[in-house]
């Protein structure tokens, strides 16, 4: 592994996004190294979440540009200890949807998903089911990581085909 | 094993230490240059990549680096908080050969003549230790010139009416303004101001064997892969090492200044490769470790001769910790304002540099728009959505339609704002860490609010339909840290003399931003380096060869 890559892996998510203390405190003391990825259901939940943050419109959305893959890879290679936070948060998001709408987060409408996330962002979602995790901070983290995945260099796994860069007119004339 | 005694040991291979090493080595002194970080080989990094910004890459910035804790509080009486490089209040400078300048925005202005007589100009201010410098702009001018020529500064002489006299033009042509700069320039003229091009430590064309700037937008807070940014690494280090008189030792964590049996400094002790404690004997000890680490080192060098630390007889070491205070004002436009080019800074005005109503000091206002995709995702009007379709739409509509004005406003020096050493927290090498106390002075708030209004007005005049700014915070310092080993003529109210030498000891010098008497209202890099040339010149003139005995023979 060359140092460029290691730098990325080592520090990727520390860009103003280090887990707030509340999130850290919620961490289980030990996480098993052999569980370094999401279950298919969790991955789908993550994709639905990210698609809300960076939705498809006339231009590709989070799913299409690879944001969930970016996050999964970054967690696995740079911050395996945060996988537990993601799992807890995604499961709690799903549970909140079931409790509100009787259906999982990916099964409810786009507008219903948005309503839930707005509550998460504002901190008005009932704390039930979140344990020691703060829903608002979890939302902020996924939001920030989604922006990173969408707008960072494609070599990190998101921003597939430079879709986000082309959309806003950013042209990296040096590395191309 | 103890290395051979050298003429000078320099602690810190950053903006100032690199200058002193260059000058002394060329004058024939044998020098050891110690750096706690590593010598980065830029070829190993794929740079010009937004993910690889300062905060993400290098210790101690890297948030996961837990080797360099510090403590912070705003005021006396409050409890200290343990802080790490990813904490907001951690004063960050890169631990690497090149230091903070590796990542700077290239701002390389001279201070104005008024800065050196700030005490006389603004009068005594309650709660502030504001004072004149022990040297004038005219004293420093030859060394500003030397720094500009050696490091490479691009600018336009004779346009800014507030500038001090200079002996010759800038060595490099100014950076070309972008559309937003031109809009602000025109607006400034309509308001009766005097806009000029920001002087930058950027090789705007090939310079002394260095590449010319390619104008990539990843510039401020990024290392320059092609060496166009003017740093000691790109401009001075190769020639310094080529003299054969300078040995660069990286990953050398300095513990203390060592003393001989009579209490006279005779070198430093450092952890080699972070592990073994090594003594480096030297005739001269030159501290260039930053305004946080230099006072920490002096205070950690306690002995029966100097129970309060080296040079600290009058309890001034670490005092008067400053940075800059000033608002950042973002304006959104309906027309294109930037062509997506680096380095970012373009146009500036000095019309509010001092002599403002109701408060002391001032600063230079300049446009520093850096259009980067990830960063822009967080630049929004207060009411704009932070995510979702509207956020995405905003991203594509305004990515090239915004400007950012900033001012490095002059911050008041306060005696109780200081660097101390912690009695309880130690770093990974067992060395007591720096603990910082910093809060704002009423004058700082007044300056902030004044500039916020002026800059919002300027941005509106330039055509922005929406302008965003925030009120002042509570204080704290970052990369512009300075003031903690003040230079002065009176040993009772300063730490070093006008040549950077400790009042108490004739063979220990300070050359970094610690020397600053006031923060000035401009980015500090060029003044730090001019002072390093000034101190070097003094050392070389007094150097007798084979030993060190200062004039006057203070022991």
């Amino acid at each position: 592994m060359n140092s460029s890559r290691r730098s990325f892996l080592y520090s990727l998510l520390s860009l103003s996004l280090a887990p707030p203390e509340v999130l850290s405190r919620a961490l289980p003391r030990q996480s098993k190294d052999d569980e370094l990825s999401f279950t298919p259901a969790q991955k789908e939940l993550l994709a639905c979440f990210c698609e809300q943050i960076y939705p498809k419109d006339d231009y590709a959305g989070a799913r299409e540009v690879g944001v969930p893959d970016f996050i999964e890879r970054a967690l696995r290679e740079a911050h395996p200890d945060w996988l537990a936070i993601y799992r807890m948060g995604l499961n709690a998001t799903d549970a909140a949807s079931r409790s509100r709408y009787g259906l999982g987060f990916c099964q409810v409408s786009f507008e219903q998903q948005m309503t839930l996330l707005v509550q998460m962002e504002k901190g008005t979602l009932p704390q039930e089911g979140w344990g020691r995790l703060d829903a608002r901070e979890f939302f902020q983290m996924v939001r920030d990581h989604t922006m990173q995945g969408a707008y960072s260099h494609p070599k990190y796994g998101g921003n597939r085909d430079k879709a986000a860069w082309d959309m806003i007119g950013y042209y990296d004339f040096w590395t191309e | 094993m103890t290395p051979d005694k050298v003429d000078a040991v320099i602690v810190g291979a950053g903006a100032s230490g690199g200058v002193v090493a260059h000058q002394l080595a060329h004058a024939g002194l044998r020098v050891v240059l110690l750096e706690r970080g590593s010598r980065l080989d830029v070829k190993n990094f794929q740079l010009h990549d937004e993910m690889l910004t300062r905060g993400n890459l290098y210790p101690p910035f890297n948030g996961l680096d837990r080797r360099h804790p510090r403590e912070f509080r705003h005021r006396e009486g409050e409890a200290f908080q343990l802080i790490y490089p990813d904490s907001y209040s951690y004063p960050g400078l890169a631990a690497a050969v090149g230091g903070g300048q590796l990542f700077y925005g290239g701002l390389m202005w001279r201070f104005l003549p008024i800065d050196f007589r700030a005490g006389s100009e603004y009068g005594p201010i309650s709660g502030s230790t504001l004072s004149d410098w022990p040297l004038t702009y005219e004293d420093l001018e030859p060394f500003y010139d030397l720094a500009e020529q050696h490091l490479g500064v691009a600018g336009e002489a004779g346009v800014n009416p507030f500038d001090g006299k200079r002996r010759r033009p800038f060595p490099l042509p100014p950076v070309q303004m972008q559309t937003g700069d031109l809009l602000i320039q025109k607006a400034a003229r309509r308001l009766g101001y005097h806009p000029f091009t920001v002087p930058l430590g950027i090789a705007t064309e090939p310079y002394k064997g260095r590449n010319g700037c390619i104008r990539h937008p990843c510039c401020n807070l990024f290392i320059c892969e092609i060496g166009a940014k003017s740093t000691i690494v790109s401009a001075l280090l190769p020639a310094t090492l080529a003299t054969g008189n300078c040995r660069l030792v990286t990953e050398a964590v300095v513990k203390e200044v060592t003393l001989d049996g009579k209490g006279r400094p005779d070198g430093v002790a450092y952890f080699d490769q972070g592990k073994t404690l090594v003594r480096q004997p030297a005739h001269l000890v030159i501290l260039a470790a930053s305004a946080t680490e230099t006072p920490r080192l002096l205070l950690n060098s306690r002995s029966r001769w100097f129970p309060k630390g080296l040079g600290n007889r009058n309890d001034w070491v670490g005092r008067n910790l400053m940075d800059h205070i000033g608002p950042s004002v973002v304006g959104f436009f309906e027309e294109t304002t930037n062509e997506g080019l680096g380095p970012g800074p373009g146009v500036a005005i000095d019309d509010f540099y001092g002599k403002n109503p109701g408060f002391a000091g001032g600063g230079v206002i300049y446009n520093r728009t850096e259009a980067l995709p990830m960063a822009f995702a967080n630049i929004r009007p207060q009411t704009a959505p932070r995510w979702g379709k509207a956020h995405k739409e905003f991203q594509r509509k305004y990515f090239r339609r915004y400007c950012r004005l900033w001012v490095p406003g002059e911050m008041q020096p306060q005696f109780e704002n200081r660097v101390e050493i912690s009695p309880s927290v130690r770093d990974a090498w067992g060395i007591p860490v720096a603990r910082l106390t910093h809060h704002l002075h009423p004058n700082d708030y007044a300056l902030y609010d004044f500039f916020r209004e002026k800059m919002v007005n300027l941005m509106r005049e330039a055509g922005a339909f929406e302008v965003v700014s925030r009120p002042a915070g509570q204080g704290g310092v970052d990369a512009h840290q300075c003031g903690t080993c003040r230079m002065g003529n009176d040993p009772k109210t300063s730490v070093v003399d006008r040549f950077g030498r400790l009042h108490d000891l004739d063979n220990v010098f300070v050359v970094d931003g610690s020397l600053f008497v006031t923060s000035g209202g401009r980015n500090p890099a060029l003044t730090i380096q001019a002072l390093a040339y000034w101190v070097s010149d003094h050392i070389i003139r007094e150097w007798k060869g084979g030993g060190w005995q200062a004039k006057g023979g203070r022991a």
Side-chain angles (χ1 to χ4, degrees), chain A residues 3-4 7 10-12 14-15 18 52-57 59-61 70 79 114 117-118 121 139 143 147-148 151-153 155-156 165 167-170 172-175, chain B residues 44-53 55-57 62-65 86 214-218 225-226 341 371-374 377-378 386-389 391-392 395-396 399-400:
Chain A
S3 53
S4 160
S7 301
Y10 182 60
S11 61
L12 174 65
S14 66
L15 173 76
Q52 276 289 328
I53 306 297
Y54 188 84
K56 181 176 174 61
D57 47 14
Y59 298 83
F70 165 92
H79 286 281
M114 198 188 303
L117 293 193
V118 167
E121 184 187 25
F139 173 85
R143 180 266 176 206
M147 293 303 172
Q148 278 195 329
Y151 291 110
S152 62
H153 194 288
K155 70 187 174 190
Y156 297 122
W165 285 2
M167 176 184 83
I168 63 174
Y170 179 77
D172 183 5
F173 56 85
W174 181 245
T175 52
Chain B
N44 289 343
F45 297 93
Q46 291 179 45
L47 301 167
H48 292 112
D49 168 358
E50 198 181 357
M51 194 68 88
L52 303 182
T53 184
N56 261 4
L57 257 187
N62 191 304
L64 303 176
D65 189 337
D86 56 346
I214 57 169
R215 305 206 66 177
H216 196 282
C218 289
E225 179 179 5
I226 64 165
L341 299 174
L372 294 170
M374 278 160 57
N378 290 323
R386 314 291 295 178
W387 53 284
K389 278 183 183 166
H391 178 275
K392 201 175 164 193
Q395 190 84 349
R396 57 180 176 256
F399 181 60
R400 293 230 180 282

Side-chain angles (χ1 to χ4, degrees), chain A residues 112-166:
Chain A
Q112 286 171 320
Q113 288 177 345
M114 198 188 303
T115 304
L116 270 179
L117 293 193
V118 167
Q119 287 192 324
M120 279 176 74
E121 184 187 25
K122 290 182 175 162
T124 56
L125 203 63
Q127 180 61 27
E128 199 187 332
W130 285 83
R132 298 173 68 187
L133 200 58
D134 183 314
R136 186 164 54 174
E137 297 202 8
F138 177 71
F139 173 85
Q140 188 61 38
M141 182 170 76
V142 182
R143 180 266 176 206
D144 288 350
H145 290 171
T146 301
M147 293 303 172
Q148 278 195 329
Y151 291 110
S152 62
H153 194 288
K155 70 187 174 190
Y156 297 122
N159 192 12
R160 203 166 283 160
D161 301 325
K162 303 193 295 290
W165 285 2
D166 289 346

Side-chain angles (χ1 to χ4, degrees), chain B residues 517-529:
Chain B
V517 176
T518 59
S519 75
R522 307 168 109 61
N523 307 55
L526 187 68
T527 299
I528 289 174
Q529 293 186 305

Side-chain angles (χ1 to χ4, degrees), chain B residues 71 80 302 420-426 432-433 435:
Chain B
E71 292 182 291
F80 281 98
R302 283 171 295 181
E420 299 169 86
I421 49 171
S422 172
S424 50
V425 180
R426 287 164 187 262
V433 304
R435 54 162 39 172

Side-chain angles (χ1 to χ4, degrees), chain B residues 21-22 25-26 39 235-248:
Chain B
H22 180 267
H26 277 88
R39 187 175 180 186
L236 302 181
L237 195 60
T240 306
L241 299 177
T243 62
N245 290 332
C246 176
R247 188 163 69 92
L248 172 65

Side-chain angles (χ1 to χ4, degrees), chain B residues 129-140:
Chain B
T129 58
L130 189 70
S131 171
D132 288 349
W133 290 51
L135 73 173
T136 63
Y137 173 82
E138 289 71 27
D139 289 330
L140 204 52

Side-chain angles (χ1 to χ4, degrees), chain B residues 17-32:
Chain B
V19 165
V20 178
H22 180 267
Q23 292 304 91
L24 299 192
H26 277 88
L29 278 74
R30 287 162 303 130
V31 175
V32 166

